[in-house]
Amino acid sequence: MLRTARALAHEVGVDAVTPGAGAALRLLAAAGNARAVVEIGTGTGVSGVWLLRGMRPDGVLTTIDVEVEHQRIARRLFQEAGFASGRTRIITGRSLDVLPRLADGAYDLVFVDAEAAGFAACVDAALRLLRPGGVLALNGALAGGRIGDPAARDVETVTVRETIKAIRESEHWVPALLPVGHGLLAAVKG
């Protein structure tokens, strides 16, 4: 089922999380006994399935994306994976418009799978949305393998570096960079 979902993601031009990154997301959700998770960037639902598999049986995944067609595919994938419709809340819209409407301190995990340009705003939102001990996970933290190359000065790489540095230096986060998939920066809210 996930193989089919990844193929659909490729067809519509979405870069789905790798199996390694998915397993890490499942682990993070399970370790935190996650009941409420926010996903920024639904894609075709691949990462959502991994998150739901790690969450408590009564947990709800709130997933946000601007692409209605991608969300339609994700909704079907969630159903085919055996998750009741009440386990997902699929919101169509720009994350920066939707996130301010979500409750403060009500979430156990926030997963960001969006363009690097929005990382800083998503990190700020996650700080507000997460309960103490909640986890932030940023996909793409290796910036396509360029993060360790000091000569790489493109906007995406610089943005990712600045975001990682801000999280690492913040008193609010306990971070670790996990070298799975495209790089997963996980940080626990202190």
Side-chain angles (χ1 to χ4, degrees):
M1 185 245 335
L2 281 175
R3 185 174 295 136
T4 302
R6 292 178 58 75
L8 282 170
H10 182 73
E11 281 180 27
V12 298
V14 172
D15 193 16
V17 297
T18 65
L25 290 172
R26 180 181 180 193
L27 172 80
L28 292 171
N33 199 27
R35 179 183 295 184
V37 173
V38 173
E39 176 185 45
I40 301 166
T42 308
T44 57
V46 175
S47 53
V49 168
W50 283 104
L51 289 164
L52 285 160
R53 286 180 175 172
M55 294 169 65
R56 296 167 46 134
D58 62 342
V60 176
L61 172 68
T62 299
T63 183
I64 305 163
D65 205 304
V66 295
E67 296 292 336
V68 176
E69 179 63 18
H70 298 172
Q71 288 181 323
R72 186 187 63 71
I73 295 168
R75 183 176 279 112
R76 190 179 83 219
L77 177 63
F78 297 149
Q79 182 181 19
E80 289 175 6
F83 297 107
S85 62
R87 295 280 318 272
T88 57
R89 182 168 66 149
I90 300 173
I91 301 172
T92 304
R94 290 185 47 234
S95 60
L96 298 181
D97 295 334
V98 174
L99 293 171
R101 300 191 316 247
L102 301 181
D104 294 2
Y107 295 91
D108 303 303
L109 191 150
V110 172
F111 174 54
V112 180
D113 192 10
E115 297 294 323
F119 273 11
C122 290
V123 170
D124 290 344
L127 188 60
R128 179 185 62 78
L129 294 171
L130 288 168
R131 63 166 171 76
V135 174
L136 165 67
L138 287 173
N139 194 36
L142 293 177
R146 298 179 310 276
I147 201 73
D149 179 1
R153 296 277 179 215
D154 59 282
V155 174
E156 179 184 347
T157 304
V158 170
T159 301
V160 172
R161 278 191 194 121
E162 289 172 354
T163 302
I164 291 171
K165 181 180 179 191
I167 291 171
R168 189 179 62 237
E169 293 176 352
S170 171
E171 62 197 34
H172 301 293
W173 300 108
V174 177
L177 180 58
L178 307 178
V180 294
H182 303 292
L184 193 64
L185 179 69
V188 176
K189 179 182 174 181

